[in-house]
Amino acid sequence: MSLTKEPKPEPGVSRRGFIRGVGLGGGAIGTGILEHEAQAAQPAGGKIIGPGAVPVTLQVNGKIHKLNLEPRVTLLDALRDHLDYTGAKKVCDQGVCGSCTVLVDGRAVYACSVLAIDAQGKDVQTVESLSGGGKVDPIITAFVANDGLQCGFCTPGWVMATKAFLAKNPNPTYEQVKEGFGGNLCRCGTYTGIRRAVLQSAKDLKGGANA
Ligand code: FES
Ligand code: FES
């Protein structure tokens, strides 16, 4: 995935407001597997929406949720504060650390940098979808087995990034893992364990490079 230059905020739009206005329709900006989409904030169909709450329908982990949200609400805040999906963590809230990573139509995105209103009609998947009913996704098992965490704040983001990464690269090398996860930061420095967990996940899911 190529790293494209971030478009400049328009005059009068704060940096934070600009990041929050980034939508899900244009070209990708990102580091490694993680991306948020570069699209200048625009009213849908030329119609001004908000600033008051408007009906928003989200599909999260296969379940439909009907909400009333101000258009400025990010997907991360909608998930955590309005729907109680707290797996995605708010750490930097600036599209830098990857702790808020969720999948939107199978692609890893920074949920703090996507507006909830723009995620309508898309399939949102959070880390909560990877366990339940007595089953745990092999990616989670591999993170535990390889000590791919210390404080754990970044871990849900890494797990979801791993899911998106392995869907694209089922047999990665260590170097590809290193490069592919440039958009996720771990302040505890458990990178070695995390990378081992990604490689083990590849093997467990499909028979990875060293299987
Ligand atoms: S909280 Fe979203 S990238 Fe850090
Ligand atoms: S485990 Fe603490 S920031 Fe990653």
Side-chain angles (χ1 to χ4, degrees):
M1 187 177 307
S2 66
L3 196 61
T4 42
K5 211 173 174 188
E6 190 170 344
K8 287 203 174 92
E10 287 171 21
V13 178
S14 70
R15 169 85 187 158
R16 181 170 177 78
F18 174 72
I19 292 275
R20 291 211 160 193
V22 165
L24 278 169
I29 313 174
T31 309
I33 193 69
L34 257 159
E35 57 187 64
H36 44 76
E37 302 275 327
Q39 186 187 42
Q42 288 175 356
K47 207 175 122 204
I48 303 283
I49 300 170
V54 294
V56 173
T57 303
L58 294 176
Q59 179 178 312
V60 184
N61 301 338
K63 203 170 155 196
I64 300 292
H65 298 276
K66 291 192 180 295
L67 301 166
N68 272 306
L69 300 174
E70 292 176 16
R72 67 181 178 84
V73 173
T74 64
L75 177 58
L76 180 61
D77 285 344
L79 291 170
R80 291 183 55 84
D81 300 341
H82 297 267
L83 291 173
D84 218 19
Y85 291 106
T86 55
K89 298 290 183 273
K90 187 190 271 193
V91 178
C92 72
D93 201 21
Q94 292 184 349
V96 172
C97 72
S99 298
C100 62
T101 303
V102 299
L103 306 192
V104 175
D105 284 347
R107 291 167 13 198
V109 301
Y110 298 114
C112 70
S113 302
V114 169
L115 294 175
I117 200 167
D118 283 340
Q120 294 186 103
K122 299 178 188 296
D123 177 34
V124 179
Q125 199 178 347
T126 71
V127 74
E128 284 89 347
S129 68
L130 301 189
S131 62
K135 288 192 181 159
V136 177
D137 192 282
I139 296 173
I140 294 177
T141 310
F143 269 74
V144 173
N146 289 280
D147 281 336
L149 69 164
Q150 278 183 20
C151 78
F153 261 80
C154 69
T155 314
W158 281 95
V159 167
M160 294 312 284
T162 300
K163 190 157 178 66
F165 178 80
L166 293 180
K168 277 191 180 174
N169 311 281
N171 298 299
T173 63
Y174 185 84
E175 282 309 310
Q176 286 168 338
V177 170
K178 232 170 128 176
E179 192 180 327
F181 288 80
N184 289 81
L185 305 178
C186 173
R187 290 150 188 83
C188 302
T190 54
Y191 290 107
T192 309
I194 289 169
R195 288 171 193 148
R196 278 200 309 260
V198 175
L199 291 172
Q200 183 185 321
S201 301
K203 280 198 277 187
D204 292 349
L205 290 167
K206 281 217 169 174
N210 303 313

